[in-house]
Amino acid sequence: MSSRAEAILKRISESSSPVSGSRLASEFGVSRQIIVKDIAALKNQGNDIIATTKGYILHHTPMPERVFKVVHGDDEIRKELLTIIGAGGIVVNVFVWHKIHGKIEAELNIRTEDDINEYIISLKNGRSSPLKNVTNGYHYHTVRAESESALDSVSKALDDIGFLVKDEENL
């Protein structure tokens, strides 16, 4: 695959909306016909690129995800998040079930140690405490991973450090 085709694939995959062939041609300094040929080559290599009336999109197979119920202290937030990403997970969100207010949720999208560091800094600099403190430390994370086996690894890792709450435990 040419470096231009790789760059086109990257551009399409990172876009939240369709990318027109004309825009790609302009960005890469080639004709629209060259873009059409590059797209055809990318499709032949197994990339699920869809041509719409507004441009090209890459069909993504959704990653498997699982919700984990966990409990730990404030001083163990970094350990929890490092455990999840270390086992191959992406921390999509954190949420609690409040007895009066119902589900209270915050998006996280933590993928890397840098993301964790930013999150920890924002908690320390913020004017509020972690969401888990509303429910005595009990909270949930939606976690995505490349495979179900990676999610199994996340579950085992959380269990190994004593953070995973089993179904029979109550709030």
Side-chain angles (χ1 to χ4, degrees), residues 150-165:
L151 290 171
D152 291 341
S153 295
V154 169
S155 180
K156 182 179 181 334
L158 287 170
D159 194 30
D160 287 349
I161 62 172
F163 290 0
L164 188 65
V165 177

Side-chain angles (χ1 to χ4, degrees), residues 13 19 23 49 61 76 83 104 110 112 114 136 140 151:
S13 70
V19 182
R23 173 174 226 110
I49 299 172
T61 303
E76 297 173 307
T83 299
I104 304 169
I110 293 177
T112 66
D114 286 342
N136 297 319
Y140 301 82
L151 290 171

Side-chain angles (χ1 to χ4, degrees), residues 101-152:
H101 302 294
K103 184 179 182 181
I104 304 169
E105 178 179 358
E107 294 299 315
L108 296 178
N109 197 29
I110 293 177
R111 299 168 178 265
T112 66
E113 192 167 351
D114 286 342
D115 294 340
I116 293 170
N117 292 336
E118 286 179 32
Y119 179 65
I120 298 297
I121 289 168
S122 71
L123 284 176
K124 286 181 180 175
N125 294 337
R127 295 184 196 151
S128 61
S129 63
L131 191 55
K132 67 178 197 56
N133 292 347
V134 174
T135 52
N136 297 319
Y138 288 90
H139 60 289
Y140 301 82
H141 287 294
T142 303
V143 176
R144 283 193 190 118
E146 291 293 329
S147 65
E148 288 293 335
S149 64
L151 290 171
D152 291 341

Side-chain angles (χ1 to χ4, degrees), residues 15-160:
S15 179
S16 59
S17 59
V19 182
S20 73
S22 300
R23 173 174 226 110
L24 289 169
S26 174
E27 286 178 18
F28 291 99
V30 296
S31 70
R32 172 90 172 79
Q33 280 70 22
I34 296 293
I35 296 297
V36 170
K37 287 180 185 178
D38 285 344
I39 295 292
L42 288 166
K43 284 181 169 184
N44 286 338
Q45 292 172 353
N47 296 289
D48 194 4
I49 299 172
I50 301 166
T52 71
T53 57
K54 294 184 179 184
Y56 297 106
I57 58 173
L58 182 65
H59 178 259
H60 295 282
T61 303
M63 294 172 76
E65 65 182 34
R66 197 176 297 169
V67 173
F68 296 97
K69 182 179 181 182
V70 291
V71 63
H72 57 77
D74 285 357
D75 60 333
E76 297 173 307
I77 293 172
R78 178 183 300 281
K79 182 178 182 179
E80 171 199 43
L81 297 173
L82 283 170
T83 299
I84 293 170
I85 68 167
I90 298 167
V91 185
V92 177
N93 64 16
V94 59
F95 64 95
V96 296
W97 285 104
H98 192 273
K99 291 180 181 181
I100 297 171
H101 302 294
K103 184 179 182 181
I104 304 169
E105 178 179 358
E107 294 299 315
L108 296 178
N109 197 29
I110 293 177
R111 299 168 178 265
T112 66
E113 192 167 351
D114 286 342
D115 294 340
I116 293 170
N117 292 336
E118 286 179 32
Y119 179 65
I120 298 297
I121 289 168
S122 71
L123 284 176
K124 286 181 180 175
N125 294 337
R127 295 184 196 151
S128 61
S129 63
L131 191 55
K132 67 178 197 56
N133 292 347
V134 174
T135 52
N136 297 319
Y138 288 90
H139 60 289
Y140 301 82
H141 287 294
T142 303
V143 176
R144 283 193 190 118
E146 291 293 329
S147 65
E148 288 293 335
S149 64
L151 290 171
D152 291 341
S153 295
V154 169
S155 180
K156 182 179 181 334
L158 287 170
D159 194 30
D160 287 349

